[in-house]
Amino acid sequence: MSIVGPKSKLSSINTVQVKNLSQSKGVLDNDIFFNVNVDSNQKYIICYALGHLYGLSDTKGSEQEFPILYPSWQALSWSRNQSIKSKSLTYKIKRIIDELSKLSKVATNFIHACDYDQEGEVIGYNILQYACKNKYSVSKRAKFSSLTDEEIRNSFSNLLPPNHNLKDAGLSRHLIDYIYGINLSRALTNSVKRKSNEKNTKKFITLSIGRVQGPTLAFVVEREKEILDHISTPYWNILAVFQKNDRTLKAYYFPQKIESKDLALSIVAECKNQLGKVTDVLTNKTAIKQPYPFNIGDLQKEAYRVFKFSPNYTLSVAEKLYLDALISYPRTSSQKLPPSINYTKIISNISKMAGGLKQDPYVEKTENKNVLCYSVIVSNLLAQKSLIPNEGKQDDPAHPAIYPTGQKSKRVLDESESKLLDLIVRRFFATFGKEAFYQQVSVTIAIKDKYIFKSEEKKIISEGWIEFYRPYFDYSGYVTTDTLSFLKKDDILKIVNIESIEKTTQPPPRFNQSTLLQKMEREKIGTKATRSEIINTLFKRNYIYNFSTANDSKSNRYAPPLKKNTATWSEMKADKKPAIITPSESIQNVRLQNDPIRIKGSSGIRPTEMGIALVESMKKYVPNIVSTSLTRTMEEQLEQIESGKKPSSSVVDQAREQVREAVKSFSDNEDHIAEEISQSLQKDRRMESISNKSRTTVSLGACPVCQKGKLIVKKSTKTRKRFAGCTNYSSSNCTATAPLPSTGALRGLKKICNECKWPIVASTGTNQGKRYRWQFCINPQCPLKKTKK
DNA sequence: GCAAGGTC
């Protein structure tokens, strides 16, 4: 038998030729096992894994003392923390493990054919050890990197012994991440829990930190510090408007940035009412290369840019498209498209799938004639002499870049799915297109032979691939009609207007989800498949939040107190314990800072007070965990394990020792840490409640029970569902409540029910895609409702 | 239940 990695691999093994499955019917689960003939006299039963089937866990039953330094491998289907969402996955894992252990009893040989990398080695190792009962050392290893017939056949006829070093490196990675992550997360959570027990506040939160979470959060905190520390300094530009005959053009004084106002004003005065002379007109033609095919990171960045999809959302939508066989495997880092995927076939298939289908949203859109529909692009491409994609440097041992399969969808895709698929299809087309060109005109104008003004503009002169990618190409920075090329050298121009413009230096921009992801990629933390998830975790933990400035039309979301010179920030600089803020002071701060205009910098991700407090505490007590150096040194050591220069035990023991020390310094300073974090937590909560109050509450009408309060829409802290409750709940214990529909807009109608006097409410709903409105008495006990029955 | 890493 042999075990390959993900199920997606089987489709390529299929190309080796999957033999008739009937012979195994009734014996083997055909969903899981495949009978394969690799060469004439060898038969294999092939099975796929679903990523990891086993995971590290606090050893069952025996409660290990904290910190947990010796976790053990358990089947993932047994672990308790499976969310409802992944129940079917848990079930599948269980089935695969069961089937594998049954089959392993009668198998004669074992071949490990997962990805030939650390994680792949561990996946297969665990299956061979636990499901098949200690078969790793007797197993053989198939090593192939590209999934071609030839390579797979080759690897099966040249099987290798298992790579113990690779396996050890992989197991160590798991152990180190677990030991650091679980123990420090628990230490954090517990310290805050103890603190809140003291104060008798029952609210309980989960905190977490890890090798990737830590540095990622630190990136956001450091950037925020840079922004708030930024001192704006003024500088000046000089803008002149020149005229020749009836045409005008704008040009900036060069060098553009002028540090002193006096200098700027004197230049303006010198140039006023003078004539300008064109000293140079330069015309350049530059190519705009075709884009690379998408890997997952590039897709996430592009989908963020054009649709504002979060990276995590993009991955989830791409996954759906993949499971429906509309695109290839999305979790890839490759920017390459091997010819074996058959470009021509895919391209012509896309043309077939186009004909007015959902997949080609532009086919009949008359309002946007500039966007080409698939069939036009396809005939365009097929008419080309050759089809060669413009590939990027990045590669992936296991998968090619993301490409559309050209298959028709069997179901109606929702809006996001259609959008993402269209993006992938057009990107795929674009990589095969012709180079585009723009023309750049640069004009230099001199006044009194002394003052230089420059103007330049770019115009696309040959669209090439951009034609295919039109709805998504970023045209900003290009002009559609040029305003400069009419100029010739030695032309004399009149100055129509000249003025100095005051500007100020700007702090660096805040990260958004896309740029944070790029930062993680650059720093090489996390993996292609997990980065976006980790950003999501930081949001979930309330370490970071999206902040929009007043300039953004979108919601002015809750902005926690963060201002230079508040206790937290001065503390950050002085590296000492924060001063206690008196309630009145902090409320004032809150009000001031809740006004988004008061917060410096651009829209984007900001750390919450808790996120800042966490990074600051960790910097003091476990600096490793918020620095990329942990990943760096870990990777160096894993390499040494892999090359046999170091035993894994010494590396893992070192991690154990470090965590033991960290946990100790943590408990020695627990009071400080807990104090800082719970204070920050309270600040964040206060902010949230203030911003909740400032957010418009939806009033449904007067409370019929206490007659004094109003019924408003509230959100249950437990179920997160909304319900109607009385505003006097906290002040005079009015417990009037009523259930509300979970979706749709709600509005009080200022009408009351004739029968029970409860408010009548209007709501909107959708039924089979159609919107409708309805009105109802919200009292669940209304007599009218009973008589109807 | 907390990590990070696979994947349906």
Side-chain angles (χ1 to χ4, degrees), chain A residues 509-526:
Chain A
R510 292 202 164 84
F511 289 109
N512 57 40
Q513 295 204 36
S514 171
T515 52
L516 188 55
L517 189 92
Q518 287 175 56
K519 174 79 176 166
M520 294 170 82
E521 281 177 0
R522 273 203 304 277
E523 300 284 342
K524 295 203 169 69
I525 54 167

Side-chain angles (χ1 to χ4, degrees), chain A residues 561-622:
Chain A
L562 254 189
K563 196 183 142 197
K564 223 171 162 180
N565 302 329
T566 62
T568 317
W569 286 103
S570 51
E571 186 262 339
M572 270 180 92
K573 275 186 252 162
D575 199 35
K576 61 181 185 220
K577 222 174 164 274
I580 306 294
I581 312 174
T582 64
S584 62
E585 231 179 1
S586 66
I587 292 291
Q588 210 175 12
N589 278 342
V590 160
R591 291 223 178 100
L592 275 176
Q593 289 144 12
N594 198 27
D595 177 359
I597 304 168
R598 306 260 173 179
I599 296 171
K600 270 182 161 178
S602 58
S603 294
I605 298 173
R606 301 186 77 214
T608 59
E609 286 287 344
M610 184 165 60
I612 295 163
L614 197 67
V615 170
E616 289 310 299
S617 306
M618 292 299 114
K619 269 190 183 161
K620 282 183 215 158
Y621 306 110
V622 205

Side-chain angles (χ1 to χ4, degrees), chain A residues 635-660:
Chain A
E635 270 167 2
E636 280 167 24
Q637 291 179 320
L638 295 186
E639 263 167 40
Q640 289 180 313
I641 296 174
E642 219 181 297
S643 57
K645 284 178 194 147
K646 247 188 186 174
S648 65
S649 57
S650 79
V651 172
V652 180
D653 279 343
Q654 194 192 331
R656 290 193 177 105
E657 198 41 51
Q658 280 169 350
V659 169
R660 219 181 259 134

Side-chain angles (χ1 to χ4, degrees), chain A residues 78-335:
Chain A
W78 296 348
S79 95
R80 344 158 229 194
N81 61 341
Q82 294 294 322
S83 64
I84 303 157
K85 199 183 155 195
S86 60
K87 251 189 179 161
S88 71
L89 196 61
T90 312
Y91 172 72
K92 276 180 194 158
I93 289 175
K94 186 174 162 20
R95 239 182 59 195
I96 292 180
I97 291 179
D98 287 350
E99 293 287 331
L100 270 166
S101 37
K102 256 191 264 169
L103 186 66
S104 71
K105 287 177 188 149
V106 294
T108 51
N109 291 299
F110 296 84
I111 300 169
H112 179 339
C114 298
D115 288 355
Y116 201 77
D117 59 20
Q118 258 175 42
E119 289 305 319
E121 195 64 22
V122 172
I123 291 170
Y125 166 80
N126 281 326
I127 292 172
L128 288 161
Q129 284 305 88
Y130 302 114
C132 305
K133 303 237 154 56
N134 301 315
K135 296 295 188 303
Y136 181 70
S137 53
V138 299
S139 70
K140 292 275 188 278
R141 189 61 157 106
K143 182 183 178 181
F144 49 88
S145 54
S146 69
L147 292 165
T148 56
D149 267 27
E150 201 191 343
E151 266 214 51
I152 294 171
R153 275 176 212 283
N154 223 327
S155 72
F156 272 71
S157 45
N158 295 294
L159 292 169
L160 303 171
N163 187 339
H164 285 270
N165 289 341
L166 186 60
K167 172 259 299 178
D168 285 340
L171 291 177
S172 307
R173 203 281 303 154
H174 278 267
L175 280 166
I176 293 169
D177 276 340
Y178 186 97
I179 292 169
Y180 266 97
I182 300 291
N183 291 309
L184 294 182
S185 297
R186 278 191 201 175
L188 272 173
T189 308
N190 288 340
S191 70
V192 176
K193 195 158 58 173
R194 268 195 284 277
K195 189 88 201 164
S196 55
N197 278 347
E198 272 171 36
K199 288 187 179 166
N200 234 350
T201 44
K202 277 180 197 155
K203 273 199 179 171
F204 168 68
I205 52 149
T206 299
L207 296 176
S208 68
I209 196 78
R211 177 176 56 83
V212 185
Q213 279 184 41
T216 309
L217 176 58
F219 296 151
V220 177
V221 172
E222 275 155 26
R223 177 60 57 91
E224 192 68 25
K225 188 169 149 50
E226 271 175 60
I227 293 169
L228 299 186
D229 279 352
H230 175 86
I231 299 166
S232 301
T233 50
Y235 65 91
W236 287 263
N237 289 164
I238 297 172
L239 176 65
V241 182
F242 293 95
Q243 188 178 30
K244 181 191 168 190
N245 303 330
D246 56 343
R247 299 177 75 168
T248 59
L249 66 127
K250 287 176 180 173
Y252 279 97
Y253 177 78
F254 183 83
Q256 206 165 339
K257 195 170 172 181
I258 302 163
E259 312 267 344
S260 113
K261 188 177 182 177
D262 290 345
L263 179 60
L265 290 178
S266 74
I267 296 169
V268 171
E270 288 278 328
C271 295
K272 219 163 206 168
N273 302 321
Q274 302 291 320
L275 291 177
K277 184 180 172 192
V278 176
T279 56
D280 219 349
V281 180
L282 254 177
T283 306
N284 265 323
K285 190 176 156 187
T286 312
I288 313 172
K289 289 287 279 180
Q290 302 86 335
Y292 301 143
F294 281 133
N295 62 21
I296 188 62
D298 294 343
L299 175 65
Q300 285 168 317
K301 274 170 238 162
E302 195 73 341
Y304 182 85
R305 185 180 67 79
V306 297
F307 306 130
K308 285 284 172 290
F309 288 176
S310 80
N312 207 38
Y313 183 68
T314 297
L315 177 59
S316 74
V317 175
E319 228 157 40
K320 280 192 238 162
L321 295 174
Y322 159 68
L323 292 176
D324 278 357
L326 302 175
I327 61 168
S328 64
Y329 188 75
R331 289 186 216 90
T332 173
S333 50
S334 170
Q335 295 170 321

Side-chain angles (χ1 to χ4, degrees), chain A residues 663-723:
Chain A
V663 168
K664 187 173 178 302
S665 98
F666 210 94
S667 62
D668 288 347
N669 297 284
E670 187 173 296
D671 284 349
H672 278 220
I673 297 171
E675 184 63 35
E676 282 167 30
I677 293 174
S678 25
Q679 263 189 27
S680 69
L681 190 63
Q682 279 167 24
K683 279 192 222 163
D684 284 334
R685 284 211 176 120
R686 204 157 48 220
M687 277 314 309
E688 192 162 24
S689 77
I690 286 172
S691 82
N692 277 346
K693 272 174 202 157
S694 68
R695 217 175 280 163
T696 45
T697 47
V698 181
S699 170
L700 302 173
C703 173
V705 177
C706 70
Q707 314 263 333
K708 284 175 195 147
K710 274 196 282 183
L711 290 180
I712 57 165
V713 178
K714 291 184 171 181
K715 211 171 191 182
S716 155
T717 44
K718 271 188 194 161
T719 61
R720 313 286 294 164
K721 282 182 180 162
R722 63 184 182 178
F723 65 98

Side-chain angles (χ1 to χ4, degrees), chain A residues 285-288 434-439 459-467:
Chain A
K285 190 176 156 187
T286 312
I288 313 172
K434 295 192 178 79
E435 267 184 353
F437 289 92
Y438 69 83
Q439 176 181 278
K459 190 190 165 196
I460 292 169
I461 47 171
S462 165
E463 252 200 317
W465 63 270
I466 296 173
E467 207 181 19

